[in-house]
Amino acid sequence: MIEVSTHSDPTRLAHCRSILEGAGIACFIRNEETHDLIAGLPDPLRQPSLCVTDDADAARARELLREIEGAETSDKPDWKCPQCGETVPGNFGSCWKCDALRPAQP
Ligand SMILES: [Zn+2]
């Protein structure tokens, strides 16, 4: 087991996990359940982290995560989902949370 990503937002990690799983990489989120209990108490050791089950997948997982980060830093502006109100990265054609389609640009 190797940790490939850490983020204070478990929703974000869940998004990364679904992408890794889609690529056939077995992974899980550590500390997901404890997050709410420690909310407000900054403890980097207990932040939720994304781990791959098989160490051999770690390099490929990090590569995929880098692609996600790269895509998110594109110059397309974030948009707000009209259905659930979630902020969605500009390169996404639909909401990552509820799958609502991106609204037409003004
Ligand atoms: Zn949504």
Side-chain angles (χ1 to χ4, degrees), residues 14-58:
H15 172 61
C16 294
R17 181 181 62 182
S18 67
I19 287 177
L20 293 190
E21 284 175 345
I25 297 175
C27 55
F28 63 96
I29 295 175
R30 195 168 52 175
N31 288 341
E32 188 175 28
E33 290 79 14
T34 61
H35 182 72
D36 285 344
L37 299 174
I38 60 159
L41 300 173
D43 181 353
L45 294 176
R46 300 194 59 188
Q47 271 198 14
S49 56
L50 183 63
C51 305
V52 293
T53 311
D54 187 345
D55 293 6
D57 286 332

Side-chain angles (χ1 to χ4, degrees), residues 12 15 67-76 78 89-92:
R12 164 73 173 262
H15 172 61
E67 282 175 20
I68 301 170
E69 307 265 319
E72 284 180 0
T73 53
S74 71
D75 55 0
K76 292 175 186 165
D78 291 355
N91 59 306
F92 281 42

Side-chain angles (χ1 to χ4, degrees), residues 11 14 23 26 31 33 45 50-51 53 56 64 75 81-82 84 87-88 93-94 101-102:
T11 321
N31 288 341
E33 290 79 14
L45 294 176
L50 183 63
C51 305
T53 311
L64 285 166
D75 55 0
C81 175
C84 70
T87 300
V88 186
S94 62
L101 286 178
R102 180 182 188 148

Side-chain angles (χ1 to χ4, degrees), residues 79 81-86 88 94-100:
W79 53 280
C81 175
Q83 187 161 304
C84 70
E86 196 61 54
V88 186
S94 62
C95 177
W96 55 266
K97 192 174 187 182
C98 73
D99 274 341

